[in-house]
Amino acid sequence: MDDSIDPSTTADPTANAKPRRAAAKTAAREGTAHAPSPLSQPGGVDPAVFREAVLAKLVYAVGKDASRASDHDWLLATILALRDGMIDRWLDSTRRTYASGKKRVYYLSLEFLIGRLLFDALGNLGLTETAREALSPLGVDLDALREVEPDAALGNGGLGRLAACFMESLATLSLPAYGYGIRYDYGLFRQAVSDGWQREIPEDWLSFGNPWEFERPEVVYRVGFGGRVEDDQEGAGANHRVWTPAEEVIAVAYDTPIVGWRGKHVNTLRLWSAKAPEPLALEVFNHGDYVGAMAHRARVEAISRVLYPSDATPAGYELRLRQEFFFTSASLQDLVRRHVQQHGSLASLGEKAAIQLNDTHPAIAVAELMRLLVDEHRMGFEEAWQITRRTLNYTNHTLLPEALETWSVQIMERLLPRHMEIIYRINWHHLEAIARAHPQDTDLIRTASIIDETGGRRVRMGTLAFLGANKVNGVSALHTDLMRETVFRDLNTLFPDRIVSKTNGITFRRWLQQCNPGLTRLLVETLGERVLDDPEALRGLEAHADDAGFQERFAAVKLANKERLARLVEERTGWRVDPTAMFDVQIKRIHEYKRQLLNVLEAVAHYHAIKAHPDRFVAPRVKVFAGKAAASYTQAKLIIKLAHDVAKVINTDPDIGDRLKVVFLPNYNVSLAETIIPAADLSEQISTAGMEASGTGNMKLALNGALTIGTLDGANVEIRDHVGHENIFIFGLTVDEVAAVRAKGGLSRDEHSARLARVLYEIETGAFSPDDPTRFHPITEAIAHHDHFLVAPDFDAYYEAQRHVDEVWRDRPVWRRRAILNTARVGWFSSDRTIAEYAREIWGAEPL
């Protein structure tokens, strides 16, 4: 937002503009430039005042009469009125940031899965009930408006949702911060399911515009690709090279205010949109080639069209790299410009700015910041390297090889030739230091190099990020230990103090107060208002866990949430489910390591058991799946199809009735999660041990009173430690046992239990796909011959753990007590705690 106080990069078109701008700056800093919005006043807002503000926006901004306005018109008017109330706080936060001179945090992420923002902003400003009361006399249902607002399609899964939680917590803690990412036109995709098969449809979330954002056409940066690199013709020395790109893309800023709890501070989420320097080739157009005249623009603007375009083709592979460099370069240019404006010298960048790289996507920041310092600001290489190392930090989110990015040297040299020169020099200094310290260890030089020389030369972006970072953090205690022992083992040996642990967290404002208002009211009635401000105040619930009356009230809230979800399930899938049954939930990106397949196989085995013993007690259960598979991930899409085919057989079997149902809810997003999570009884966190970095869905579900069934993976370990071993269902191989089983080649078919063998036989022979008996052979063959994710070795332990779940569910007071204790004991998993740790131990940043 500071560009409205300190306009950025473009020259003034007239000589008189500068004194006008200086006067405007003075007025802005003194707070006298405008009359504040009536919705920004402290001490609460009268509903009548809110109503008048909405009506004014409806007429003068939306251009509609109240008698003809649609729900969407009312949504726009409400957002615009509310946004006005945020702007005064936004400006004030920016002024205080400049006046304090404190360090700013810059969070670079390819994803920001922010979801819908209306209730987020209303809740944080304390205006939800005010808005409801204001709109009701107009015949407008606030909850109906919530359903009209589209989810911002700016992320895919946990990585993007974590970034969104962090942005909200940064504002809540009054830490001056910018989030930087890409303003995707179509996001990932909207998932449709046709006959059980996933189909990808563009998510046109911007079709009605985005009323939360401010376009900043004056905040533009040129981002180059390709071209040549030459020595500085002025003879300034070998360190000063000149990069002349063959192609340039314009990055245009779009700003969204992110308001913290109780509106005390507002930060900025700045997203970049790619534009062509020229909108069309006019000469080509005038020669009649209308499509060709737009070809370059289409190619350039593809950068901000879609999140994670398929990299199965050379063009898609290149586009991924162009996306990552585009937003990283624009963001670094922007923050460097801001620092120079405020502080003058870049020598203090590390003391005034902390840059956090969210995974390896923005790892090219190491080379780009070096280029800006050395080439654009004529700094010596060693000084620039020290500044870069003090400024950058890197969060690793995965141990999966495919997610720890590498890029071919060939494409890097073609698209980013100057950056490859810088990378080679960084690597040379790095390997020289290793050779001096370990002259006989050629293997260490090979494995610790930024350039992977095996199987085609590739740039290891994780290694680049590690070397350029002040601190490198994992996102759970187990994940951090595994980083030290596996992917960064050699680098950890060389730099033993660089890796630290920062367990992920979630914002309780979104994942309790907004998505579960019934439980929030119960908590406030029981524990007081303090519970809204201090997550650790939830500990007070422990004293009520054995209270039968409180258990009944807690269960009534859960049942109401389940009834709501049951209606949604029927609306979206056609299946009717019993809300009194156990809701067994697995909601996350579809991936083999997350093992939705294990869950489906257990459903088949449980189905067999019910058929064989119809008189035996069975806890009625609804298995709820939701999640998207990557467009090119064939096996994950086949697992979705298997879930649907299994559901079709089980749900239509009259012998089963309501004892077991399987449903798959399409198009999983933040809004759908906000409906599923409060209704969940059982939380499935069943990834192969050692493969889930942290997870945050596990935290959200436990907070809302779901018991976890899971492996000792990611943050499950810390959840177990906090909620108590008796209040979580742990099964399966440990990390060490996973390594041992893999070393011996997994399980052969002969080692499968009779229960698993029957499940696989029926799937393999078409019991669930009579129209295509061989449909699921790729799944059964993978389990039989290359079961990398160890579905078979964990199957029987998982099945038995589920039967233990059944027994506990049968004793409802015991289940309710455990559910209450889960809610009571997960306050530590607040993202406010996580961000406070980052600020204190990594960034050295202080709140205003």
Side-chain angles (χ1 to χ4, degrees):
M1 183 61 181
D2 59 347
D3 301 294
S4 60
I5 295 177
D6 290 270
S8 59
T9 55
T10 54
D12 293 317
T14 68
N16 292 329
K18 288 184 179 180
R20 285 202 305 270
R21 190 171 76 183
K25 283 169 145 184
T26 301
R29 288 198 175 98
E30 293 174 356
T32 60
H34 65 284
S37 163
L39 302 192
S40 66
Q41 300 304 303
V45 176
D46 187 278
V49 172
F50 195 110
R51 185 183 309 119
E52 289 304 314
V54 171
L55 286 169
K57 288 297 179 184
L58 182 69
V59 173
Y60 297 110
V62 183
K64 288 292 185 72
D65 182 81
S67 65
R68 294 285 184 268
S70 66
D71 279 349
H72 189 266
D73 296 329
W74 285 113
L75 173 68
L76 287 179
T78 303
I79 290 174
L80 292 173
L82 185 62
R83 193 183 72 168
D84 282 357
M86 296 166 62
I87 289 173
D88 291 305
R89 301 168 190 266
W90 199 11
L91 288 165
D92 179 65
S93 297
T94 301
R95 294 186 196 105
R96 290 187 294 115
T97 298
Y98 270 97
S100 73
K102 288 188 175 181
K103 178 179 278 191
R104 298 176 191 250
V105 174
Y106 297 101
Y107 197 84
L108 273 62
S109 179
L110 200 62
E111 299 183 37
F112 285 94
L113 196 56
I114 56 177
R116 296 166 172 166
L117 293 181
L118 175 59
F119 272 66
D120 196 54
L122 285 171
N124 279 359
L125 293 171
L127 293 174
T128 305
E129 294 310 312
T130 299
R132 198 182 304 280
E133 188 176 342
L135 295 173
S136 181
L138 301 172
V140 178
D141 181 355
L142 182 63
D143 293 311
L145 299 190
R146 182 182 199 164
E147 298 304 314
V148 173
E149 184 180 12
D151 272 53
L154 300 170
N156 175 32
L159 182 82
R161 187 52 235 171
L162 180 76
C165 285
F166 279 6
M167 286 300 299
E168 197 267 2
S169 284
L170 283 161
T172 291
L173 297 180
S174 296
L175 287 161
Y178 263 74
Y180 281 119
I182 295 179
R183 182 183 183 267
Y184 301 103
D185 295 334
Y186 301 106
L188 186 70
F189 57 80
R190 181 162 57 88
Q191 182 192 52
V193 175
S194 178
D195 191 28
W197 293 103
Q198 173 180 291
R199 293 193 302 114
E200 299 85 34
I201 301 171
E203 183 70 87
D204 194 9
W205 72 286
L206 289 171
S207 58
F208 287 95
N210 179 7
W212 293 107
E213 71 184 7
F214 291 83
E215 183 180 3
R216 305 292 190 196
E218 77 283 6
V219 183
V220 296
Y221 297 96
R222 291 180 176 269
V223 178
F225 295 96
R228 65 185 187 278
V229 184
E230 301 171 314
D231 286 329
D232 188 335
Q233 295 303 308
E234 296 179 2
N239 282 351
H240 291 145
R241 301 272 282 163
V242 176
W243 177 31
T244 306
E247 175 189 14
E248 288 188 322
V249 178
I250 304 299
V252 180
Y254 287 77
D255 290 351
T256 298
I258 304 296
V259 62
W261 177 235
R262 301 203 186 276
K264 291 184 296 185
H265 187 82
V266 184
N267 280 325
T268 302
L269 175 60
R270 173 161 286 181
L271 304 176
W272 302 104
S273 183
K275 305 295 180 187
E278 298 295 335
L280 82 165
L282 188 57
E283 185 175 350
V284 176
F285 186 91
N286 286 334
H287 278 86
D289 186 359
Y290 307 128
V291 175
M294 301 290 291
H296 179 66
R297 177 180 176 180
R299 180 175 182 273
V300 165
E301 297 183 1
I303 288 174
S304 56
R305 288 283 187 243
V306 175
L307 169 66
Y308 298 140
S310 172
D311 57 2
T313 65
Y317 180 74
E318 178 178 320
L319 180 57
R320 286 274 191 105
L321 178 57
R322 287 163 65 87
Q323 282 186 326
E324 293 180 6
F325 179 69
F326 163 78
F327 101 90
T328 302
S329 176
S331 303
L332 291 177
Q333 291 183 63
D334 191 48
L335 69 89
V336 165
R337 181 269 309 165
R338 184 177 300 108
H339 180 87
V340 170
Q341 277 188 347
Q342 185 175 6
H343 302 290
S345 170
L346 283 169
S348 63
L349 183 64
E351 286 68 55
K352 295 296 182 180
I355 301 172
Q356 191 70 37
L357 309 179
N358 192 27
D359 217 359
T360 52
H361 306 125
I364 193 64
V366 177
E368 174 66 355
L369 184 55
M370 286 293 293
R371 184 191 71 81
L372 292 172
L373 296 176
V374 172
D375 294 358
E376 303 295 329
H377 293 272
R378 292 297 197 249
M379 193 176 284
F381 194 92
E382 287 303 320
E383 182 185 7
W385 182 241
Q386 293 305 314
I387 291 171
T388 296
R389 282 269 350 274
R390 289 199 302 270
T391 306
L392 295 177
N393 302 282
Y394 161 51
T395 300
N396 174 272
H397 281 280
T398 183
L399 305 174
L400 295 178
E402 67 267 25
L404 206 62
E405 287 185 318
T406 64
W407 295 102
S408 74
V409 166
Q410 182 182 23
I411 194 172
M412 288 282 287
E413 288 182 335
R414 178 168 59 82
L415 283 183
L416 302 171
R418 177 57 179 143
H419 298 78
M420 277 308 300
E421 289 187 348
I422 293 169
I423 290 170
Y424 285 140
R425 184 165 179 182
I426 292 170
N427 201 40
W428 180 77
H429 284 290
H430 169 55
L431 297 183
E432 281 287 300
I434 294 175
R436 288 193 299 271
H438 307 274
Q440 308 302 319
D441 198 340
T442 56
D443 282 343
L444 180 60
I445 291 175
R446 176 179 55 81
T447 58
S449 173
I450 298 174
I451 309 300
D452 182 357
E453 305 284 354
T454 61
R457 303 178 72 227
R458 302 184 68 82
V459 181
R460 296 169 169 145
M461 302 306 287
T463 302
L464 178 64
F466 189 107
L467 294 177
N470 176 44
K471 292 293 182 183
V472 177
N473 72 280
V475 291
S476 71
L478 175 63
H479 170 239
T480 304
D481 289 342
L482 291 174
M483 282 170 56
R484 294 184 178 119
E485 296 167 7
T486 58
V487 292
F488 294 133
R489 182 188 61 191
D490 293 331
L491 291 172
N492 182 59
T493 300
L494 296 168
F495 307 99
D497 297 325
R498 194 165 298 185
I499 296 178
V500 297
S501 179
K502 291 288 165 280
T503 298
N504 284 344
I506 58 173
T507 169
F508 285 24
R509 271 79 59 181
R510 166 84 69 164
W511 295 109
L512 176 61
Q513 296 173 29
Q514 290 172 45
C515 77
N516 201 341
L519 180 55
T520 302
R521 283 191 295 271
L522 178 59
L523 295 175
V524 171
E525 290 169 9
T526 306
L527 302 175
E529 292 278 340
R530 176 170 168 259
V531 77
L532 301 177
D533 297 284
D534 179 9
E536 287 295 340
L538 289 170
R539 278 277 178 183
L541 280 185
E542 291 187 20
H544 302 272
D546 293 307
D547 182 331
F550 183 80
Q551 285 188 3
E552 288 294 335
R553 296 169 70 195
F554 192 88
V557 170
K558 179 68 74 174
L559 180 60
N561 291 329
K562 292 168 70 174
E563 289 170 344
R564 178 183 172 212
L565 178 57
R567 290 191 294 270
L568 184 71
V569 166
E570 185 173 8
E571 174 188 317
R572 297 196 180 180
T573 70
W575 298 119
R576 299 188 68 178
V577 298
D578 178 6
T580 66
M582 181 200 310
F583 279 20
D584 174 355
V585 166
Q586 189 173 20
I587 47 173
K588 51 187 77 240
R589 178 167 52 96
I590 308 298
H591 196 290
E592 288 167 281
Y593 90 84
K594 294 179 182 289
R595 300 203 297 191
Q596 286 90 353
L597 177 59
L598 178 61
N599 196 348
V600 174
L601 298 183
E602 191 277 332
V604 174
H606 191 37
Y607 169 66
H608 290 159
I610 297 172
K611 294 279 284 184
H613 305 283
D615 297 326
R616 184 178 296 173
F617 168 77
V618 172
R621 186 186 295 242
V622 179
K623 282 185 174 282
V624 179
F625 294 88
K628 297 177 181 179
S632 57
Y633 196 168
T634 303
Q635 194 78 340
K637 294 168 87 167
L638 192 60
I639 291 169
I640 293 175
K641 175 60 175 170
L642 176 62
H644 280 86
D645 284 359
V646 166
K648 190 183 302 181
V649 171
I650 292 175
N651 296 355
T652 57
D653 189 329
D655 294 338
I656 300 300
D658 284 335
R659 286 183 287 181
L660 179 62
K661 288 286 191 292
V662 178
V663 298
F664 188 102
L665 283 165
N667 202 38
Y668 182 59
N669 56 18
V670 175
S671 297
L672 184 55
E674 289 172 345
T675 301
I676 296 174
I677 286 171
D681 294 303
L682 187 68
S683 164
E684 298 273 354
Q685 310 298 329
I686 58 176
S687 52
T688 311
M691 304 200 75
E692 184 73 83
S694 170
T696 53
N698 46 8
M699 303 169 191
K700 296 162 192 167
L701 286 153
L703 175 64
N704 283 272
L707 274 62
T708 300
I709 182 169
T711 52
L712 285 175
D713 197 23
N716 290 354
V717 178
E718 287 152 289
I719 290 175
R720 178 200 62 179
D721 294 343
H722 280 81
V723 305
H725 293 223
E726 70 281 5
N727 299 314
I728 188 171
F729 303 99
I730 295 296
F731 75 93
L733 302 173
T734 64
V735 170
D736 291 341
E737 289 167 343
V738 164
V741 172
R742 282 178 175 159
K744 78 178 191 70
L747 296 186
S748 67
R749 274 185 183 268
D750 293 339
E751 294 176 287
H752 292 174
S753 67
R755 180 182 292 117
L756 175 60
R758 182 185 175 190
V759 169
L760 294 178
Y761 175 79
E762 291 207 355
I763 291 172
E764 192 168 39
T765 56
F768 299 96
S769 55
D771 58 318
D772 182 3
T774 64
R775 176 181 295 148
F776 299 116
H777 280 192
I779 288 176
T780 56
E781 287 296 304
I783 293 174
H785 301 297
H786 38 90
D787 186 11
H788 180 70
F789 302 100
L790 304 185
V791 171
D794 268 348
F795 174 81
D796 290 304
Y798 178 56
Y799 183 86
E800 292 304 324
Q802 289 286 21
R803 303 294 70 77
H804 180 45
V805 169
D806 286 343
E807 289 304 313
V808 177
W809 177 263
R810 191 175 190 175
D811 190 339
R812 304 314 293 277
V814 170
W815 185 280
R816 290 168 183 172
R817 179 182 187 276
R818 294 184 180 189
I820 292 166
L821 290 176
N822 266 263
T823 298
R825 293 174 177 175
V826 293
W828 186 80
F829 294 95
S830 165
S831 53
D832 295 351
R833 184 269 314 160
T834 311
I835 288 298
E837 289 183 5
Y838 272 96
R840 184 173 59 251
E841 300 167 18
I842 294 180
W843 302 328
E846 297 178 348
L848 293 179

